[in-house]
Amino acid sequence: MKELLQQWLERDPDPKTREELQKLVDKNQQSELEDRFKTRLEFGTAGLRGKVGCGYNRMNRLVIQETATGLGHYLIDTVSNARERGVVIGYDGRPDSKQFAHDTASVLTALGIKVYLTYQVAPTPVVAFGIEKFNAAAAVVVTASHNPPEYNGFKVYWENGAQIIPPHDLGIAGAIDVAASKPIPLMSLDDAHSKQLLEWLEADYYQAYRETMNQSPLLSNHTDPSAITIAYTAMHGVGGKMAETLLRDAGFKHFHSVKKQHEPDGTFPTVNFPNPEEAGAMDMVTALAESVDAQLACANDPDADRFAVAVRLPEGGYRMLTGDQVGALFGQYLLEQSGGRPKLVGNTIVSSSLLSRIAKAHGATYYQTLTGFKWLTNIAMNEQSEETPFLFAYEEALGYTVGNAVWDKDGLSAMVAFAQLAAEIYSKGQTIWDKLESLYREHGMYVNAQRSIALSPDSPPLGSAKSETTERDWRAQSRSHRRSQSRAALRYDHRPNRCDCSTIK
């Protein structure tokens, strides 16, 4: 242990974490030291995610620099012209995210890789969008999404625009292990910029994402936006400005934002847990919705890749739609918008199979994948064709991708699409609940339930007969929920020939 601690102190560039380690040593906190140094924070298909602090089993500047070094070498060895094509880097509003993003840029540019770095915080889908825009070799987003404030993360996208899948996760992990035993290459951002290895992504880049979304044919249904009023919260995340801009561009004038949750704040002062699925997280936006008589109370999670909505009930109050209900509404709406032309739609194995019935009714091709948006988009790329282009995919955990401008879940474009869907419905004198009822009457009643289970970070795998990759995926997911909350989705699909839907509201 002493050797590991000394190695850390010699390599760590951050006086804050060096001081933290010294305090742990001085207080002889052996169990805490063992937890932080007994293993390395494992890199998987979700990249890295963990608590911030000193040690190889935490998120900190040294771990970020070693991870970026491994990623850089792997890209150079694996992706054609990786140095010239470059890497897009962005970050969320957590306290260490900007520093971690800048450290990543310093390492990659020192390796001769061009970097496109956002000049301020950016929603995750806005960063992923840059891969296609620049034909980049990869992208990195420093974010812990909806995890508690003591966490941070390092998410990697591949050259195809989607999150990494095997074998790249294992390849990058191996390169990180090698990098951890060697000197770390670093270049100042000023030097990188002067050598044209660093390009700052300023307002015009964010504008490019905005214009792409505004030009999407899937977001061009402007049926009476005045028919609805929308309440919105960014949940202390980075999506607020872009969300409001896109809604305004789409013609929605009656929308109101929760002011106390609008600006990025990685301490999340007004929510116990910054996840729209958690009890209480939507309280402020539903209260605002009540006060302005809004039909919808909408939210993005802190990095704006997920979308949540609560809908006003006929008798008053609001009820949160499940991810499967939103997915079914999207499936029906987008397939109707496509004009009967063959399309590809999909969801995951823990999501409702109602989408498959909707797809069949519209002559669309349906596909199903393992859990995780990385599978939805990577498989969509393989399954789509010129005759059957990709249209839409979702997972029950509030992740949706509408079209392929971003090959990952995008809570911003999803919110615009849902607002347009709702405006069309309400302009006809109907409600979201009426539309759901019509879907159930046509395809059968689908009831979905979700249960949250508290897990220890050291909980064993859910089964013994797992491949190395599946084991790695599970452990990565487990660690991403070290807040001691993990979700177990339970699906019940009931398909009676007829159903009494009078009580579903």
Side-chain angles (χ1 to χ4, degrees):
M1 178 66 75
K2 287 185 178 180
E3 185 177 341
L4 275 176
L5 300 183
Q6 185 60 37
Q7 180 188 66
W8 173 272
L9 290 171
E10 291 173 356
R11 289 172 65 86
D12 184 17
D14 191 346
K16 181 175 65 176
T17 44
R18 290 202 304 271
E19 181 181 355
E20 180 184 0
L21 174 57
Q22 190 60 55
K23 288 181 179 178
L24 292 174
V25 172
D26 292 343
K27 293 179 181 180
N28 196 30
Q29 296 187 1
Q30 291 301 315
S31 60
E32 183 69 17
L33 289 168
E34 183 178 352
D35 178 54
R36 291 168 181 252
F37 286 90
K38 67 180 179 182
T39 186
R40 186 177 190 87
L41 197 63
E42 193 171 3
F43 189 95
T45 54
L48 293 177
R49 189 170 292 176
K51 289 183 177 180
V52 175
C54 67
Y56 294 111
N57 197 28
R58 295 290 188 271
M59 292 290 296
N60 49 68
R61 293 187 64 189
L62 177 57
V63 165
I64 288 293
Q65 290 178 3
E66 291 176 345
T67 299
T69 304
L71 172 63
H73 283 298
Y74 184 78
L75 287 171
I76 292 168
D77 293 341
T78 308
V79 179
S80 177
N81 300 319
R83 285 190 171 95
E84 294 75 20
R85 292 172 61 186
V87 175
V88 184
I89 302 174
Y91 55 94
D92 69 10
R94 291 169 186 267
D96 297 286
S97 292
K98 181 177 181 179
Q99 181 64 66
F100 291 170
H102 286 197
D103 282 336
T104 303
S106 293
V107 168
L108 294 180
T109 53
L111 293 173
I113 298 173
K114 179 158 188 176
V115 164
Y116 301 90
L117 177 60
T118 61
Y119 81 114
Q120 62 180 14
V121 296
T124 289
V126 173
V127 181
F129 163 79
I131 295 178
E132 182 172 349
K133 176 173 175 57
F134 299 114
N135 187 31
V140 172
V141 187
V142 179
T143 177
S145 187
H146 52 275
N147 285 69
E150 63 268 25
Y151 284 75
N152 215 322
F154 184 98
K155 180 182 286 188
V156 179
Y157 291 84
W158 202 238
E159 62 175 329
N160 63 358
Q163 294 181 48
I164 57 170
I165 57 174
H168 300 308
D169 58 332
L170 295 175
I172 296 170
I176 294 170
D177 289 340
V178 173
S181 64
K182 296 182 178 180
I184 298 171
L186 292 170
M187 179 181 291
S188 74
L189 298 188
D190 287 341
D191 287 348
H193 183 64
S194 67
K195 295 178 180 180
Q196 298 185 328
L197 283 169
L198 173 64
E199 180 175 329
W200 289 102
L201 300 181
E202 300 186 353
D204 58 341
Y205 172 73
Y206 296 74
Q207 181 71 15
Y209 171 87
R210 172 189 178 187
E211 291 174 353
T212 297
M213 293 304 156
N214 288 340
Q215 294 166 9
S216 169
L218 300 177
L219 303 177
S220 61
N221 178 11
H222 303 297
T223 303
D224 195 10
S226 64
I228 62 171
T229 298
I230 300 170
Y232 169 77
T233 178
M235 209 160 284
H236 298 295
V238 296
K241 290 182 181 179
M242 185 61 74
E244 290 185 352
T245 298
L246 293 178
L247 281 174
R248 190 177 297 109
D249 290 344
F252 292 93
K253 298 180 180 179
H254 306 302
F255 64 87
H256 308 264
S257 291
V258 179
K259 292 182 179 179
K260 289 183 178 180
Q261 297 179 332
H262 187 264
E263 295 302 317
D265 186 342
T267 66
F268 307 111
T270 68
V271 288
N272 292 327
F273 202 96
N275 180 354
E277 294 174 293
E278 297 292 333
M282 296 282 286
D283 285 357
M284 293 187 74
V285 71
T286 53
L288 175 62
E290 188 80 49
S291 70
V292 298
D293 197 26
Q295 287 85 358
L296 307 179
C298 300
N300 289 130
D301 67 336
D303 69 329
D305 66 348
R306 299 198 303 159
F307 165 73
V309 58
V311 179
R312 187 174 64 194
L313 294 161
E315 65 271 22
Y318 292 80
R319 178 177 296 167
M320 184 95 158
L321 293 184
T322 68
D324 283 312
Q325 288 174 321
V326 175
L329 289 164
F330 268 142
Q332 177 76 11
Y333 168 75
L334 293 169
L335 286 168
E336 288 175 346
Q337 293 287 87
S338 67
R341 294 183 295 274
K343 297 290 183 179
L344 178 67
V345 298
N347 62 8
T348 62
I349 59 173
V350 295
S351 304
S352 173
S353 56
L354 175 55
L355 182 62
S356 67
R357 300 291 291 272
I358 294 171
K360 183 177 181 181
H362 285 84
T365 299
Y366 167 79
Y367 71 102
Q368 189 180 69
T369 73
L370 296 172
T371 306
F373 228 89
K374 58 185 178 289
W375 299 116
L376 281 172
T377 48
N378 276 284
I379 290 176
M381 293 180 202
N382 293 329
E383 294 290 327
Q384 71 173 351
S385 65
E386 187 174 342
E387 294 77 22
T388 309
F390 172 76
L391 177 67
F392 164 71
Y394 86 93
E395 61 181 359
E396 52 81 32
L398 309 184
Y400 317 93
T401 181
V402 178
N404 59 8
V406 175
W407 279 111
D408 193 30
K409 53 186 179 290
D410 183 347
L412 298 168
S413 59
M415 184 177 64
V416 175
F418 195 88
Q420 293 178 328
L421 172 162
E424 180 177 299
I425 291 172
Y426 283 95
S427 68
K428 297 176 181 178
Q430 300 176 327
T431 69
I432 294 294
W433 305 110
D434 295 329
K435 189 64 175 180
L436 277 173
E437 180 173 333
S438 70
L439 285 175
Y440 295 147
R441 288 190 180 277
E442 180 178 358
H443 301 292
M445 184 69 182
Y446 287 69
V447 180
N448 308 86
Q450 190 182 85
R451 182 182 178 191
S452 291
I453 302 173
L455 294 178
S456 164
D458 296 324
S459 297
L462 297 176
S464 57
K466 289 181 176 288
S467 67
E468 180 179 2
T469 298
T470 305
E471 174 86 358
R472 180 180 291 274
D473 282 352
W474 186 90
R475 288 187 179 278
Q477 291 183 40
S478 176
R479 268 191 301 279
S480 75
H481 292 79
R482 284 199 178 191
R483 54 179 168 81
S484 297
Q485 284 291 328
S486 182
R487 182 175 52 247
L490 308 178
R491 189 185 72 209
Y492 306 94
D493 283 356
H494 302 290
R495 306 177 182 83
N497 292 328
R498 299 181 62 81
C499 65
D500 178 4
C501 301
S502 61
T503 63
I504 66 171
K505 296 178 182 179

